[in-house]
Every structure is written in structure tokens, then in C-alpha cells.
């Protein structure tokens, strides 16, 4: 049983000498911080041998950093057993959760604080013009708070694996709908969106059908196109393309906007990460859009990648596995018919 235990177990005799070490403990000893772990285990075994129990949690600085818990208990035969557990992942998850709660509170505090201040400023105001202006700003802040909550809900639903309606959907139709959602914003910002429709890929596939949740896919593509518009200068052009490559359907969205500095490229998919906080705020961003896009891509066994040159523009590529004809037939016979035509 000890040999198969995922937690390290080390047994010492009454004189403190090590009698047994299970494979999990040996694996921990073999890491770059193994010497430190062994020292800790020996120390706590010695203390437990003299009666009672002993233990500690220790942060071992890497790289990579590790958090290890050692806990030793005396045994009836006068010896002791120590359990060693690497809780690095658990600690990281705890930290991510704490950071997330702090971020959410901070993000919501801004619009809510503004709403309180604006409401206060209305008390006793009789001037219609002032009231209208303040109420207008209150609507903007309330919209902002509501968008954050909506995005958080969408994110938690995707993370929880809540499936809504999986069916065979046409990728070009998804892109068409997504662009439709952003068209008004683009018009107001003076930005042209160019979308020639689907083109034939290297493998000749034109079907471009994927198995997925249509509204989520529209949301993912819509987020990327919306960003391309938001981070472009007036008069800019956003190119959107759909193509097939090696069994994948790719949606490519390129802009000629502000671009993303190289050091931020890996981080833009993190929740609430923004390169330019002021710009994101002024365009009504929640900092959750790309995180949602990545989650949707992963939930569909796909991926999303970004390339950018600061000051020149950015290209996002969303890749989703294409449905083969066999899979499509299977999906149809399983009662998930392809979408009716004319839904665009
Ligand atoms: P936001 O709501 O702030 O747009 P996102 O999660 O959608 O949040 O994007 C995260 C950050 O990535 C943005 O704040 C912005 O700094 C950067 N970003 C995203 N798309 C683009 C783009 N097309 N061009 C330049 N920067 C972008």
C-alpha cells in the first residue's frame, strides 16, 4: 500500500536511521530541492521518534518554486513515519483563487463607487441638464458593472463545463454573425471590417463545419473582432478570414492597430490583464474577453494564438477541429442535425 501511495512516506527506526522510503518519497528526493527535503524529513523523524508528532510547511525557492509539507508521527515500535507532500499545485490554485476574488472586487468597486458618487451628486439637484448628464454617466457605469458580471458568469459556466447546445455549425456563418455584432461599433469608430467569406484551404476543404456551441463560438470570434476594432485607430481596416488547414478550421483576425508589446503577448489571455488599462476602460473593456475566448477554444478542443508588432498591428488565430464527413453523419444520426440553412 505504501509503495502505491501518491504521498511520500519515509519510515525510521527507533535510532532515527531510515528503514524504508516509498517511490513517491524517492521521486521527491530526486528533484533539485531533494537534499533540502531529505534534511527536513530527517529532522522531523528525529523529533517524532522522541515522542509525539512534528511537521512544517516550507516554501522551497526554485526555479521552479515548490511548496512541500512534511508531517512525522511516532510509531508504536519506537520508530516514526514521515509523510511528504508536494502541495505546489494546490498552493498555486489557492493563490489564483485569492487573486481572482481580489481582482473581481477591485473591478466591480470602480463602477459601483462611481455610481454611489454620481447618485450622491444628484441629491437636491433641480437642474434638468445636470440631472440628465449625471444619469447618462450612471447608465454607463451600471452597464460596465453589468458587463463584468455577465462576462464572469460566462467564464464560470465555460469553466464548469456547462454544455448548452452542441451541434454541427458552419464556421463561416459563425464569423458572419460575430462580425454582425461588431458592425455598429466599427461604424461608429470609423473602422472597416473586410471579410471575403470562406476560402479554400490547402487541403481543398470548403465545408468548414465544426462541432460546437454556436452562441459560444460567435461570442469567441466576436470578442476577437471587437478587440481588433477597439485597438485600431479611426480609418483602420480589420481583415477577417476563414480557412481550412490540416483538418483545422482557422479564423484569422488581423488589425493595423496599436499592437501588443512582446512582453505582454503571453499574458493577454489572463483574466483582467490589460496592456493599457486606460484605453481598455475608455472602450468599455472588462479585461475578460480574451480569457473567455481561450476557454471557449479549449472547450472545443481548439486553441487561440496571437502575433503582434507594437505600433503595427495584431493577428489572432482561432483554431478549431473541423468535422469530417463521417463525424457529421454520426452527429446527424445521433439526433444533432446540422443547422438549418438561412440562419445567418
Ligand atoms: P479588454 O476588455 O480590456 O479588451 P481582453 O481580455 O479582450 O480585455 O484583452 C486583454 C488586453 O489585450 C486588452 O486590454 C488589450 O490591452 C490587449 N489586446 C487585445 N486585443 C488586442 C488587439 N487586437 N490589439 C492590441 N491590443 C489588444
Amino acid at each position: 500500500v505504501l509503495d502505491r501511495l501518491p504521498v511520500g512516506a519515509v519510515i525510521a527506526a527507533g535510532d532515527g536511521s531510515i528503514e524504508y522510503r516509498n517511490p513517491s518519497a524517492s521521486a521527491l528526493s530526486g528533484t533539485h530541492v531533494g537534499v533540502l527535503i531529505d534534511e527536513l524529513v530527517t529532522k522531523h523523524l528525529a523529533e517524532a521518534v522522541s515522542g509525539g508528532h512534528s511537521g512544517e510547511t516550507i516554501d522551497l525557492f526554485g526555479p521552479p518554486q515548490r511548496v512541500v509539507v512534511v508531517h512525522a508521527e511516532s510509531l508504536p515500535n519506537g520508530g516514526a513515519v514521515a509523510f511528504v507532500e508536494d502541495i505546489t499545485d494546490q498552493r498555486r490554485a489557492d493563490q489564483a483563487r485569492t487573486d481572482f476574488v481580489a481582482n473581481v472586487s477591485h473591478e466591480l468597486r470602480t463602477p459601483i463607487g462611481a455610481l454611489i458618487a454620481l447618485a450622491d451628486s444628484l441629491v437636491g439637484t433641480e437642474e434638468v441638464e445636470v440631472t440628465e448628464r449625471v444619469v447618462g454617466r450612471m447608465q454607463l457605469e451600471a452597464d460596465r458593472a453589468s458587463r463584468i458580471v455577465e462576462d464572469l458568469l460566462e467564464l464560470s459556466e465555460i469553466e464548469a463545463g456547462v454544455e448548452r447546445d452542441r451541434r454541427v455549425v458552419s464556421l463561416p456563418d459563425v464569423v458572419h454573425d460575430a462580425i454582425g455584432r461588431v458592425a455598429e461599433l466599427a461604424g461608429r469608430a470609423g473602422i472597416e471590417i473586410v471579410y471575403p467569406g470562406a476560402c479554400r484551404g490547402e487541403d481543398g476543404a470548403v465545408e468548414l463545419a465544426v462541432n460546437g456551441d454556436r452562441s459560444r463560438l460567435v461570442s469567441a470570434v466576436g470578442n476577437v473582432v471587437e478587440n481588433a476594432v477597439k485597438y485600431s485607430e479611426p480609418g483602420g481596416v480589420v481583415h477577417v478570414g476563414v480557412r481550412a488547414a490540416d483538418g483545422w478550421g482557422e479564423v484569422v483576425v488581423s488589425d493595423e492597430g496599436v499592437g501588443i508589446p512582446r512582453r505582454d503577448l503571453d499574458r493577454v489571455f489572463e483574466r483582467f490583464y490589460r496592456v493599457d488599462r486606460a484605453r481598455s476602460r475608455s472602450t468599455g473593456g472588462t479585461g475578460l474577453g480574451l480569457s473567455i475566448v481561450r476557454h471557449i477554444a479549449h472547450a472545443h478542443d481548439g486553441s487561440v494564438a496571437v502575433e503582434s508588432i507594437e505600433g503595427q498591428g495584431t493577428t489572432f488565430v482561432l483554431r478549431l477541429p473541423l468535422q469530417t464527413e463521417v463525424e457529421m453523419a454520426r452527429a446527424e444520426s445521433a439526433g444533432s442535425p446540422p443547422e438549418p440553412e438561412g440562419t445567418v
Side-chain angles (χ1 to χ4, degrees), residues 227-228 230-231 255 258-260 268 273-276 280 285-290 314 316:
N227 277 347
K230 283 194 317 195
Y231 299 103
D255 64 61
V258 294
I260 302 171
V268 290
Y273 191 83
R274 285 109 156 190
V275 179
D276 182 344
S280 164
T286 61
L288 292 168
L290 287 180
T314 306
F316 279 91

Side-chain angles (χ1 to χ4, degrees), residues 57-60 64-69 85-89 91-92:
T57 302
I58 185 158
D59 281 62
L60 298 166
Q65 201 175 340
R66 273 174 184 258
V67 186
V68 175
V69 185
E85 202 172 355
D86 184 342
I87 58 159
T88 314
D89 291 343
R91 181 62 79 78
R92 211 171 277 145

Side-chain angles (χ1 to χ4, degrees), residues 98-141:
T98 312
D99 290 352
F100 182 60
V101 172
N103 272 330
V104 170
S105 316
H106 176 78
E107 295 290 335
L108 282 174
R109 197 170 61 182
T110 314
I112 290 171
L115 275 171
I116 294 170
L118 289 164
D120 279 349
S121 75
L122 272 184
V123 177
T125 309
E126 278 167 19
E127 279 177 65
V128 178
E129 216 175 279
V130 175
T131 309
E132 276 177 1
R133 202 177 56 235
V134 174
V135 168
R137 286 190 52 202
M138 287 178 79
Q139 279 169 333
L140 285 179
E141 296 297 343

